[in-house]
Amino acid sequence: MTNEEGWKDVAFNSRDPVYLQVVRLFMEKLVTGRLAAGQVIPSRRELASLLKINPNTAQKAYKEMEERRLIVTEGNAPSRVTEDAGVLRGIRAALVEEAADEFIAAVRRIGMPADELIELVRRKYDERQGGGAHD
Amino acid sequence: MIEVQELRKRYRRRDVLDGVSFTADKGRITCLIGMNGAGKSTVLKAIMGLVPYRSGTIRIGGEPPSPAVMEKIAFIPDRLMMPGGMRVREALAWMQEHYARWNPARAEELLAFFRLDPAARIAQLSRGTEAKLNLVLGLSRDTDYVLMDEPFSGIDMLSREQIADVFTSELVERRGVLLTTHEIAEMERLIDQAVFLDQGRVVRDFDCERMREDEGKSVVDVMREVYRA
């Protein structure tokens, strides 16, 4: 049903709640297209085995994702990624915003004017786009 | 649930257990953590009725220990207790004959899970393979609770990883698991509850995810706090 690729060898840190790291993993997979809207995801048990985490933690992660409407579980059917475009856009926005916050926190310490910074970001971004982007 | 209340034991004029209280719930993995001599194994043996204790109460699913109640618990000691001349297959047959709730299908499944050779003689097994067989014997019984004493000590890394996989599998699903270890790092993301023992006392007892969420600390972080003093 679900291939094991992409679930193995995920590096978790041991100081953040594991269930939130799992939610985050799903969000990243969604925005990078490695999980598609409507796609069936592994069962809680399968995920616990694949990620080598406690089964109760996997359960908690799925509950959290259901509450955030990232995934849907109908009756006894396997859980699926949501097809709600609004939710998917929201995840994308949340992840980009988070990355921007981290970037700003890092460069603020150096103290560069915003205009110069934006110019730098634009130039670097274009370089990446042109020069054979990876990922 | 297994409830241990105010367990006390003196041995050679030392308080080996000095009022130990904690619970291990069904469907959760509870880990007794502590240095050598902290009293971890003694707690497991007291629950199993293998060592006497001075005072305190033990309840298993609300009931005091009795032969019938003890059949709900599988105890996996730190070393395999089978004679070296026995073959793996014979050890399984022996267990089936002597223990209630033996599940032959589960035993076969576990042999395959660990890739154990049924024809191998126990004396010829490596330390890691011996530890796996030890687990097979304990987990093949349909018990509500499984007690494991130091399932990771003294074995190679690959065997430890395979043994850790047991804790994420359906092999322990819905059961209550209580294990002891002094090497917590590899269990960090597998356990639900951590109970730290030091000199016969419970010094910390917490839900691991809640600790990460509320204090941003890993189990190893807490371990450093507890034992650095």
Side-chain angles (χ1 to χ4, degrees), chain B residues 16-43:
Chain B
V16 185
L17 302 179
D18 191 11
V20 169
S21 304
F22 68 94
T23 61
D25 295 333
K26 255 181 115 174
R28 281 168 66 85
I29 301 170
T30 304
C31 193
L32 287 176
I33 304 163
M35 300 297 171
N36 289 328
K40 309 181 297 287
S41 296
T42 309
V43 171

Side-chain angles (χ1 to χ4, degrees), chain B residues 33-227:
Chain B
I33 304 163
M35 300 297 171
N36 289 328
K40 309 181 297 287
S41 296
T42 309
V43 171
L44 295 196
K45 287 175 186 150
I47 294 170
M48 294 310 295
L50 299 173
V51 295
Y53 48 93
R54 172 179 281 196
S55 63
T57 51
I58 292 170
R59 291 282 179 278
I60 294 132
E63 294 178 67
S66 69
V69 168
M70 295 320 283
E71 286 187 359
K72 294 181 183 173
I73 310 183
F75 176 56
I76 305 177
D78 58 349
R79 290 300 295 261
L80 185 65
M81 305 290 241
M82 292 287 170
M86 240 185 200
R87 292 182 193 278
V88 169
R89 173 75 66 205
E90 293 163 350
L92 298 186
W94 191 90
M95 289 295 292
Q96 177 155 23
E97 204 173 304
H98 290 85
Y99 282 94
R101 306 184 188 214
W102 182 259
N103 181 333
R106 166 87 61 69
E108 290 302 321
E109 198 185 315
L110 275 157
L111 281 186
F113 183 88
F114 285 129
R115 299 196 199 96
L116 296 182
D117 173 11
R121 279 202 196 278
I122 286 168
Q124 255 106 59
L125 303 179
S126 70
R127 182 77 176 85
T129 310
E130 182 201 302
K132 290 174 199 165
L133 176 59
N134 199 16
L135 242 70
V136 171
L137 300 185
L139 291 172
S140 296
R141 293 172 57 210
D142 287 328
T143 56
D144 295 348
Y145 302 95
V146 182
L147 271 47
M148 303 181 192
D149 197 5
E150 297 279 355
F152 297 100
S153 80
I155 54 176
D156 60 284
M157 192 192 73
L158 289 178
S159 297
R160 288 208 303 268
E161 284 184 359
Q162 261 192 308
I163 288 173
D165 284 346
V166 165
F167 296 94
T168 68
S169 73
E170 64 286 345
L171 295 165
V172 298
E173 199 170 25
R174 286 189 287 275
R175 305 210 231 180
V177 177
L178 175 62
L179 73 149
T180 67
T181 189
H182 60 273
E183 301 158 280
I184 187 58
E186 52 215 313
M187 291 298 289
E188 174 89 43
R189 285 184 286 278
L190 297 175
I191 63 175
D192 291 283
Q193 189 82 15
V195 179
F196 281 83
L197 279 184
D198 192 28
Q199 294 175 24
R201 287 190 191 156
V202 173
V203 287
R204 298 294 288 271
D205 184 349
F206 58 90
D207 177 296
C208 302
E209 278 285 82
R210 196 161 299 152
M211 175 60 70
R212 293 184 197 105
E213 189 142 36
D214 296 347
E215 299 187 35
K217 286 177 190 161
S218 68
V219 181
V220 172
D221 289 335
V222 178
M223 188 169 189
R224 286 201 191 95
E225 277 177 16
V226 168
Y227 299 107

Side-chain angles (χ1 to χ4, degrees), chain A residues 5-131:
Chain A
E5 290 292 299
W7 295 108
K8 292 210 155 176
D9 302 318
V10 175
F12 288 117
N13 73 61
S14 51
R15 290 188 174 131
D16 292 319
V18 177
Y19 82 99
L20 290 178
Q21 294 185 65
V22 173
V23 173
R24 167 90 199 201
L25 176 70
F26 272 83
M27 287 166 72
E28 283 172 0
K29 281 182 178 296
L30 274 168
V31 297
T32 55
R34 281 172 293 165
L35 268 181
Q39 187 176 330
V40 169
I41 58 172
S43 71
R44 288 146 176 77
R45 165 68 56 206
E46 284 166 344
L47 192 79
S49 289
L50 289 168
L51 298 178
K52 300 187 187 300
I53 58 171
N54 181 295
N56 294 326
T57 305
Q59 168 65 29
K60 196 170 175 191
Y62 276 39
K63 189 164 170 272
E64 177 76 18
M65 290 194 289
E66 277 164 1
E67 277 166 16
R68 295 193 197 179
R69 299 198 297 136
L70 246 78
I71 62 169
V72 284
T73 313
E74 283 159 358
N76 281 329
S79 299
R80 293 171 175 277
V81 175
T82 183
E83 293 182 76
D84 183 330
V87 171
L88 294 171
R89 270 198 305 277
I91 293 165
R92 194 183 175 81
L95 284 183
V96 170
E97 197 156 313
E98 200 180 304
D101 284 342
E102 278 172 29
F103 172 67
I104 289 165
V107 294
R108 259 189 109 154
R109 287 194 291 269
I110 303 167
M112 188 187 248
D115 289 348
E116 275 179 53
L117 200 56
I118 288 161
E119 192 45 49
L120 178 69
V121 170
R122 183 167 291 135
R123 187 160 55 80
K124 289 271 178 194
Y125 194 86
D126 289 346
E127 271 174 28
R128 278 284 169 101
Q129 296 288 89

